[in-house]
Amino acid sequence: MRYQLLESDVSFEVTEKILEDLKENIIGKKVKRSDDLERIVKDSLKKSITEIITKNNAINVLEEIKKSPKPYIIIFFGINGVGKTTTIAKFAYMLKKNGLSCIISASDTFRAAAQEQLEVHSRNLEIPLIKGRYGGDPASVAFDAIRAAKSRGIDVVLIDTAGRMHTDTDLVNELKRVVNIAKPNLKILVLDSLGGNDALEQAKYFENNVGFDLVILTKVDADVKGGVILSLAYELNKPVGYLGIGQAYDDLIPFNAEWFIQRLFS
Ligand SMILES: Nc1nc2c(ncn2[C@@H]2O[C@H](COP(=O)(O)OP(=O)(O)OP(=O)(O)O)[C@@H](O)[C@H]2O)c(=O)[nH]1
Ligand SMILES: [Mg+2]
């Protein structure tokens, strides 16, 4: 059992906690048949996992947006290639489907192709985009997007940012600056589920340096169990709000604890 949990990228601490719960639940229980034992074990696992995940329920972003003053500002960040830009396009699509207007701030002025990548999405989705100059100031792009949203009465501003590793002190400081200027209502950390427990390390790093409210876990369509979701909840008190399950615009789904438990033990 321990091995199965660790194999699913559940961190050591969380695995220990789940097994402790299990021990407590089994001791003193009369087991008549082996069926009973299996059921007790399954129930105990489900209970402790559900407890961990639902301890910090993700906020309902759509509801939050609807009841907040316009524009509601969301910034997306994370390390290189995790799927930030793609996730923003999916997020914009979801907003549109829910009757909310948005504008995208292409604040990744660091990677040459980032602006063009968003331009394609913006055209496909018919969503306005504020572009930046290559090498330009990402905070000023965000500032322009927010100003445009205010003057056009747009509901939501989605800010894309350049991927950064913790070794990029300059880029991390730059991210802090964008956050200070844009004053986002919501800070979303994008994590790649293929990164396994490294994703937890990234989360700790971003939490200590910038802070974040919600995780979007991408590439869950790959054959991963996503045990990092448990670690995020248990060790950082951070909820996963959405999962990326493919490359199409509608491949973003709200996180669901039951779905997760089924997957973990399938
Ligand atoms: N299968 C799958 N692929 C995804 C998912 N999300 C993103 N991708 C792919 O991951 C690759 C990187 O996505 P981007 O959105 O460019 O990632 P990024 O974080 O913006 O990258 P940088 O801006 O370079 O840091 C692309 O090929 C995406 O299509 C997902 O949920 N599932
Ligand atoms: Mg990008």
Side-chain angles (χ1 to χ4, degrees), residues 83-86 108 111 114 117 160-163:
K84 296 173 293 297
T85 306
T86 311
D108 179 358
R111 192 167 60 83
Q117 194 184 352
D160 189 20
T161 60

Side-chain angles (χ1 to χ4, degrees), residues 91 99 114 174:
F91 206 93
E174 179 202 88

Side-chain angles (χ1 to χ4, degrees), residues 131-145:
K131 288 203 293 174
R133 224 173 1 89
Y134 175 59
D137 176 12
S140 84
V141 184
F143 187 81
D144 288 348

Side-chain angles (χ1 to χ4, degrees), residues 77-90 108 111 114 117 121 160-164 190 192-194 216-222 243-248 251-252:
F77 49 82
I79 73 159
N80 305 285
V82 288
K84 296 173 293 297
T85 306
T86 311
T87 299
I88 286 184
K90 294 174 186 173
D108 179 358
R111 192 167 60 83
Q117 194 184 352
H121 293 309
D160 189 20
T161 60
R164 62 205 76 216
V190 182
D192 180 338
S193 60
L194 297 169
I216 292 184
L217 191 64
T218 62
K219 309 182 192 179
V220 183
D221 47 312
L243 304 172
I245 53 160
Q247 312 206 32
D251 284 336
L252 184 73

